[in-house]
Amino acid sequence: MATTPAFLEELLAGNRRHVESLPDEYFAGVQTSQHPDVVAICCSDSRIPQEHMWGFDHPGAVFTPSNIGNQVWDEDEGERIVDGGLLYPIHHAGTNVAVVVGHTGCGAVTAAYQVATGDDLPGPQGVDKWVNMLVPVVKEALESGLIDREADEETVINQLVEYNVDHQTQFLREAENVPADVDIYGFVYDFQGVYGNEAGCAHLVNVNGEIDPESIEKLVPAEYETATESLLF
């Protein structure tokens, strides 16, 4: 009998623990359909717990597409279109809240910044496609006056992360196939203490196009005011 590779066995054992931990009827409400309250597009990064970051412990609450750089678009025959992972729950599952979630220290934004400032694409081709789509956003950001170009690279990258979240939310707000009654929010997930001392805090940086921190602060209960800080203002 062949020996099971160690990590494969770890995956199987982990799934077994998962199965045993589930309460009875855990999937009862979602076995035949789904109606997630929110679609949250995150960066494809193993450090971002896409459902747990919101405190959900039941299936069917969050539709979770992800890609390199939490980009809301894709390209089709040279045209930039809204990613199907975002559109599906909005058009077919009754979802009326869309969230863009960037994160501190984003490798995709870092790569796009390096390309925008003269370095080569990181490769391979499948990665380069998504980095290339971010490069114009980074170039626009660097010319916007919102980025402290004299700061250290870590600071610049994190400011670019926030700028990218704003840019992605704006694209959604202007897209014809995203209904006007869909609320669109932008967050930056901070697990590095960039915005403050609350590791794992999702900082609300965009509410339906509003990006001024003081204005956003007025939209949320006082207890969440520390989650409305910005690196751009």
Side-chain angles (χ1 to χ4, degrees), residues 45 47 102-110 154 157-158 161 188-192 194:
D45 192 296
R47 299 166 293 182
H103 67 90
T104 55
C106 179
V109 172
T110 300
E154 179 181 350
I157 294 302
N158 285 316
V161 165
V188 176
Y189 185 77
D190 182 10
F191 61 92
Q192 299 173 321
V194 172

Side-chain angles (χ1 to χ4, degrees), residues 135-212:
V135 171
V137 180
V138 168
K139 289 182 175 179
E140 177 186 296
L142 293 174
E143 298 300 323
S144 70
L146 294 172
I147 308 299
D148 183 1
R149 301 180 65 170
E150 302 302 317
D152 60 272
E153 183 171 296
E154 179 181 350
T155 298
V156 171
I157 294 302
N158 285 316
Q159 289 181 328
L160 289 171
V161 165
E162 186 173 323
Y163 187 96
N164 179 49
V165 168
D166 286 336
H167 192 93
Q168 302 294 329
T169 58
Q170 183 66 22
F171 185 86
L172 282 183
R173 293 181 67 245
E174 295 176 353
E176 292 183 359
N177 48 15
V178 176
D181 62 350
V182 172
D183 286 316
I184 301 172
Y185 307 135
F187 289 87
V188 176
Y189 185 77
D190 182 10
F191 61 92
Q192 299 173 321
V194 172
Y195 284 76
N197 296 321
E198 295 181 304
C201 181
H203 288 267
L204 180 61
V205 299
N206 193 303
V207 177
N208 291 322
E210 178 58 69
I211 59 176
D212 176 62

Side-chain angles (χ1 to χ4, degrees), residues 77-139:
E77 298 182 350
E79 179 184 1
R80 196 158 288 197
I81 61 174
V82 179
D83 185 271
L86 275 161
L87 289 180
Y88 179 82
I90 291 172
H91 283 264
H92 300 287
T95 305
N96 59 9
V97 177
V99 172
V100 179
V101 185
H103 67 90
T104 55
C106 179
V109 172
T110 300
Y113 171 70
Q114 292 170 343
V115 172
T117 53
D119 286 353
D120 295 330
L121 287 162
Q125 184 178 358
V127 173
D128 288 348
K129 169 192 171 179
W130 292 95
V131 172
N132 256 328
M133 287 196 290
L134 273 182
V135 171
V137 180
V138 168
K139 289 182 175 179

